[in-house]
Amino acid sequence: MENLFQHEIILENERARLEPLHIEHIPHLWPIAAHSSLWEHTSAKIETANDFASYMQKAMDEKGKGLSYPFAIYDKEANCFAGSTRFGNISLPHRRVEIGWTWYHPSLQRTGLNRSCKALLLAFGFEKMGFDRIEFKTSVTNTRSQTAIQQIGATQEGILRNHMINDDGNSRDTVYFSILKHEWPSIKTTKFKQDVAHNLE
């Protein structure tokens, strides 16, 4: 299995470009992250520019430790940066990874951008990296996210009670979903037939 951190990963299709997240992205992404609605159901609670800078630095630190690989999302249709996502909880020995920490400008939600990004990440994860399992998780209160995850073909596995403590000190229950490698070919052709990636290098 290839080491995810050996080179800079850029993923593209007709709608989206995912590029490795760097501190230089902060000026482009902070105006998006400043929308408080993005953090309503997340464990991270971003209220200030300093909060966001710390959030970004943590993402960079996790990448340095081989724990996650964060991306900045560029929307080719809107011609602007649109948000962020990442591979996280990476376990190369167990061929398992999570897709998450995903947020978009509110005006670009429900426009097909998320589906295009998930197509890129899933294709890369299964076809290039050879993962056997790709996970998704979200707060039990985030019904919109749960619906979106189910719509891309993921299977709900269960709810972990009192699973996480949010930045604000409140406990949350977490819903887990997954897609397995043997499920991907069917999901790719039925859920993502308009979002085939043309650059997985």
Side-chain angles (χ1 to χ4, degrees):
M1 181 178 234
E2 185 178 346
N3 188 328
L4 189 63
F5 300 90
Q6 286 180 338
H7 52 82
E8 294 278 273
I9 299 168
I10 297 176
L11 307 177
E12 294 188 77
N13 55 23
E14 290 186 0
R15 175 67 188 271
R17 182 175 75 247
L18 306 186
E19 56 188 63
L21 186 70
H22 294 291
I23 294 300
E24 289 76 16
H25 286 111
I26 288 180
H28 301 287
L29 297 179
W30 164 238
I32 304 169
H35 288 82
S36 60
S37 61
L38 300 182
W39 313 102
E40 180 180 358
H41 298 287
T42 65
S43 58
K45 303 300 179 185
I46 307 299
E47 297 180 353
T48 67
N50 285 338
D51 290 341
F52 185 61
S54 296
Y55 174 88
M56 292 281 283
Q57 187 60 57
K58 183 178 179 180
M60 297 297 98
D61 292 344
E62 287 188 359
K63 182 180 180 182
K65 296 175 182 177
L67 300 175
S68 68
Y69 198 105
F71 296 93
I73 300 167
Y74 190 86
D75 185 345
K76 294 181 178 182
E77 186 175 287
N79 196 30
C80 64
F81 282 98
S84 181
T85 190
R86 74 183 77 166
F87 287 123
N89 290 326
I90 299 166
S91 177
L92 297 180
H94 297 287
R95 296 194 291 273
R96 180 182 71 233
V97 72
E98 179 181 343
I99 294 174
W101 299 266
T102 304
W103 42 273
Y104 304 94
H105 192 287
S107 68
L108 296 173
Q109 295 174 11
R110 298 187 175 184
T111 65
L113 177 61
N114 179 58
R115 185 176 296 271
S116 291
C117 291
K118 292 298 189 292
L120 288 167
L121 293 166
L122 287 164
F124 184 82
F126 286 126
E127 299 171 20
K128 181 71 172 177
M129 291 300 301
F131 287 114
D132 290 339
R133 170 186 170 88
I134 296 181
E135 302 174 339
F136 307 84
K137 70 175 184 286
T138 190
S139 170
V140 73
T141 64
N142 194 345
T143 55
R144 178 183 292 185
S145 179
Q146 292 171 49
T147 298
I149 294 169
Q150 289 173 323
Q151 286 177 342
I152 63 170
T155 296
Q156 181 175 330
E157 297 179 324
I159 298 173
L160 301 186
R161 300 177 299 165
N162 285 359
H163 177 240
M164 300 176 67
I165 302 296
N166 296 332
D167 285 353
D168 59 10
N170 291 320
S171 179
R172 90 167 199 188
D173 297 342
T174 297
V175 188
Y176 263 87
F177 300 82
S178 72
I179 296 175
L180 304 184
K181 188 174 184 178
H182 75 268
E183 299 169 337
W184 170 239
S186 175
I187 289 172
K188 180 180 179 179
T189 57
T190 57
K191 303 293 186 180
F192 294 102
K193 55 187 175 182
Q194 302 299 322
D195 300 286
V196 177
H198 58 69
N199 181 4
L200 297 178
E201 298 300 327

